[in-house]
Amino acid sequence: MGCKKTIMIFSLCFFSCASGASVRDNRPFAYLTDSSRFMLLPSEDIENSMDMAQQISAHFAGGDYFLNAYVQADETGMGITLLNELGANMGELSYRNGAVSLTSAVFPKSLRPEYIIADFQLCFYSASRLRSALEDCGLLFEHTETGRRILQGETVIIEIEKKPGAVMLTNHLRGYAYTLEGDFE
């Protein structure tokens, strides 16, 4: 897969559908629906620390895309190094002390890294803290041993399935899905 296809999938999957910062709160956020603003949780709300390589396979608009990542995440913050299939660095994503940054000569400047962080948090952060944060933005949260679901009313907008060695996220509202493979146990 070419570099342009990789850039396209991340731009499409994580590009903001709504923008603008609120005057009332300057914490980083991502819109999970056009009107539901999810405030990113503090780093200490992660369920389990990570220091691992992950393989990412994504599906969007009929295409399949592949990327590698090295993820370090714990109660002090998170850093992700994004790598192409040949191992070349495509960018660095960081979330520390409530600040989000993406450094990349490859990804477009319009890419809002808050959306990548939000999806990561939905997969790997404390269920009780997620429930509270999602209720604050008008969404419902269901959690089981094998997965999570985020609902708007009775409509499932995001599903997360957890299996040994893999986490699958499907965003029904935005029309993308991806699988993260790694040593999550």
Side-chain angles (χ1 to χ4, degrees), residues 19-88:
S19 62
S22 169
V23 173
R24 69 178 188 266
D25 195 342
N26 62 0
R27 292 182 302 157
F29 65 90
Y31 281 100
L32 298 184
T33 70
D34 291 344
S35 61
S36 298
R37 196 174 93 176
F38 173 71
M39 304 306 289
L40 296 183
L41 297 173
S43 298
E44 58 264 14
D45 290 336
I46 193 167
E47 282 184 316
N48 298 303
S49 296
M50 291 183 192
D51 189 356
M52 72 175 78
Q54 294 181 10
Q55 295 77 44
I56 303 167
S57 55
H59 180 79
F60 182 80
D64 293 314
Y65 308 91
F66 304 93
L67 189 67
N68 296 305
Y70 189 80
V71 178
Q72 293 178 299
D74 60 25
E75 66 280 346
T76 65
M78 157 174 144
I80 300 176
T81 301
L82 300 167
L83 307 165
N84 69 15
E85 292 175 314
L86 299 175

